[in-house]
Amino acid sequence: MDDDSGAGGGLSADRIEAARLTLTPLTVEDADDMVDVLAGEDLYGFIGGGPPDLDGLRARYARLAAGRSPDGRQAWLNWILRRRRDGRAVGTVQATVTGAGRRAEVAWVVGTAWQGRGYASEAAAALAGWLRGRGVDLLQAHIHPDHQASMKVAAGIGLRPTDLMEDGERLWRWERG
């Protein structure tokens, strides 16, 4: 499983439907909607950084939309979370896939205006199911030990905390038995 040849094992982001959300593969054009979603300073309390400007977000999305790290060892799969009822963007989910498509580091971000409505849980569950259905055997996430909401999301998709800490975040993981 440590072999990173083939990075994402040929995985690419597909549209994923959930009960209230559609996860659409990220494009550069999504920056126009997402700059407002990511604007709240409070959003960065646990994840670090700060709100992006539109040009910076477009540049970042251009890199991510390529689907692979520059060295080709990681597949970058990113989705915009859009409410099904009106198409409004509310956040993102991502999976960095390695190990020939068998390992994925997952993350989620929901704009502060849309937090507390279960969107992160719904999107993370849809993403985890999609990844598992494509043969991913190991899911993991790094979560700040004080970020109760993200810990709840992680537990909801079957991830369990480990004793490993990295850059102030605890590693959570699920592995196919």
Side-chain angles (χ1 to χ4, degrees):
M1 185 149 32
D2 290 330
D3 175 19
D4 285 331
S5 63
L11 288 180
S12 61
D14 293 328
R15 182 182 180 100
I16 302 171
E17 296 290 338
R20 298 174 299 151
L21 299 169
T22 299
L23 287 62
T24 59
L26 175 141
T27 67
V28 174
E29 293 77 21
D30 289 317
D32 295 346
D33 291 336
M34 289 302 298
V35 72
D36 290 333
V37 173
L38 301 174
E41 288 284 343
D42 292 347
L43 190 60
Y44 301 90
F46 291 115
I47 61 176
D53 64 26
L54 183 55
D55 289 339
L57 193 56
R58 284 180 180 154
R60 182 171 198 273
Y61 282 8
R63 287 189 303 276
L64 293 175
R68 296 218 172 280
S69 61
D71 65 7
R73 293 176 57 88
Q74 299 176 336
W76 292 340
L77 308 180
N78 293 270
W79 292 263
I80 301 300
L81 312 179
R82 294 190 177 276
R83 294 190 304 196
R84 291 180 73 171
R85 68 177 181 185
D86 61 9
R88 185 160 190 180
V90 299
T92 65
V93 290
Q94 65 185 52
T96 301
V97 182
T98 59
R102 298 292 182 211
R103 176 182 306 140
E105 174 86 19
V106 296
W108 46 86
V109 174
V110 171
T112 54
W114 298 278
Q115 291 178 0
R117 301 178 191 188
Y119 289 143
S121 294
E122 183 176 327
L127 173 62
W130 185 88
L131 290 165
R132 289 174 177 136
R134 280 150 184 80
V136 173
D137 295 322
L138 174 66
L139 297 177
Q140 57 187 38
H142 287 83
I143 301 172
H144 190 283
D146 295 329
H147 199 319
Q148 297 297 319
S150 275
M151 288 188 274
K152 184 177 177 182
V153 171
I157 61 170
L159 276 65
R160 298 292 173 250
T162 70
D163 293 332
L164 300 173
M165 295 289 289
E166 190 173 307
D167 296 326
E169 295 182 321
R170 180 169 311 283
L171 175 67
W172 287 62
R173 64 184 280 149
W174 167 88
E175 192 163 5
R176 192 180 311 272

